[in-house]
């Protein structure tokens, strides 16, 4: 069964083309017209749409008549999922957070898992061994930290995240290197501290790293953290299968 998962985030639209449970293609940074082109080329039987930036139902309407089967607009508050959701306010829960949790539970069934999503925001989410999503934390992402330091001060420059394996000094000897140390090393220390606390509470907890800045952070974080860039898309496809596969 050919399916398509669309993840509409704050800064990019990602598409995952699936054949059953196999992710055959993943594309990011799509415009509305490019999404339609992917649909026409892949010709999925069913589509799932999750959005934190716009009304998913509006995007679904664009695909009516193009997709022969179900077009599922994923809502954390109303869409049934193969996971128990213990979040107290599901109507305020980001679709990407819950979809990532479903993806993580599929990759690590019966095991406690912490998701670190390093995107526009830095999010951490917990799934316990009994298949329950509990929520977690939301903080500013790396680029948001750079922008905040520039916006809310008088003279600090606006920096961008360095590319590749750039060395980030612990002790900055200039304003630029001090900003890099504060943002990057601060975020790494934050993530590492959260992981340590979860490891104390849930022995054997596994850590999955996803999001746009995952590759940058991976080399700076402790070993045994698995990078899964496609985690949200995997979760969305699993939710779609839960609805259309009988």
């Amino acid at each position: 069964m050919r399916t398509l998962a669309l993840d509409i985030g704050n800064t990019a639209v990602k598409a995952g083309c699936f054949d059953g449970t196999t992710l055959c293609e993943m594309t990011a940074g799509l415009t509305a017209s490019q999404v339609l082109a992917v649909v026409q080329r892949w010709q999925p039987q069913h589509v799932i749409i999750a959005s934190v930036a716009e009304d998913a139902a509006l995007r679904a309407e664009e695909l009516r008549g193009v997709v022969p089967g179900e077009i599922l607009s994923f809502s954390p508050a109303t869409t049934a999922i193969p996971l128990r959701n213990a979040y107290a306010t599901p109507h305020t829960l980001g679709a990407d957070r819950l979809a990532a949790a479903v993806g993580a539970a599929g990759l690590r069934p019966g095991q406690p898992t912490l998701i670190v999503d390093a995107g526009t925001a830095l999010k951490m989410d917990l799934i316990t061994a009994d298949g329950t999503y509990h929520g977690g934390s939301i903080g500013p992402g790396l680029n948001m930290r750079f922008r905040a330091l520039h916006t809310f001060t008088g003279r600090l420059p606006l920096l961008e995240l360095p590319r590749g394996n750039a060395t980030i000094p612990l002790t900055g000897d200039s304003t630029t290197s001090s900003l890099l140390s504060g943002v990057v090393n601060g975020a790494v220390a934050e993530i590492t501290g959260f992981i340590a606390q979860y490891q104390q509470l849930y022995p054997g907890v596994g850590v999955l790293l996803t999001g746009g800045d995952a590759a940058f952070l991976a080399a700076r974080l402790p070993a045994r953290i698995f990078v899964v860039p496609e985690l949200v898309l995997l979760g969305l496809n699993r939710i779609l299968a839960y609805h259309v596969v009988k």
Side-chain angles (χ1 to χ4, degrees), residues 4 6 39 44-49 56-74 240 244:
L4 179 70
L6 293 176
V39 172
Q45 295 168 263
H46 307 285
V47 173
I48 183 170
I49 303 172
L58 295 177
R59 185 61 64 97
E61 282 302 315
E62 298 174 358
L63 303 181
R64 303 292 178 195
V66 180
V67 177
E70 181 161 2
I71 303 174
L72 180 62
S73 298
F74 175 51
L240 181 59
V244 301

Side-chain angles (χ1 to χ4, degrees), residues 3-130:
T3 56
L4 179 70
L6 293 176
D7 172 24
I8 303 173
N10 289 300
T11 57
V13 176
K14 298 176 185 176
C17 300
F18 289 85
D19 188 349
T21 59
T22 302
L23 178 60
C24 301
E25 178 184 325
M26 180 173 70
T27 309
L30 297 172
T31 63
S33 61
Q34 289 171 328
V35 167
L36 185 58
V38 171
V39 172
Q40 293 171 332
R41 176 172 53 78
W42 184 245
Q43 296 186 342
Q45 295 168 263
H46 307 285
V47 173
I48 183 170
I49 303 172
S51 176
V52 298
E54 63 182 49
D55 187 349
L58 295 177
R59 185 61 64 97
E61 282 302 315
E62 298 174 358
L63 303 181
R64 303 292 178 195
V66 180
V67 177
E70 181 161 2
I71 303 174
L72 180 62
S73 298
F74 175 51
S75 166
T78 59
T79 305
I81 60 172
L83 194 68
R84 178 175 176 268
N85 185 1
Y87 206 69
T89 56
H91 59 285
T92 69
L93 177 59
D96 56 338
R97 293 178 68 192
L98 191 55
V102 173
L107 293 175
R108 291 175 47 84
Q111 302 175 79
T113 304
L114 179 66
I115 302 164
V116 179
D117 187 341
T120 303
L122 178 59
K123 297 164 286 191
M124 300 184 207
D125 289 284
L126 174 71
I127 306 101
T128 46
D130 62 353

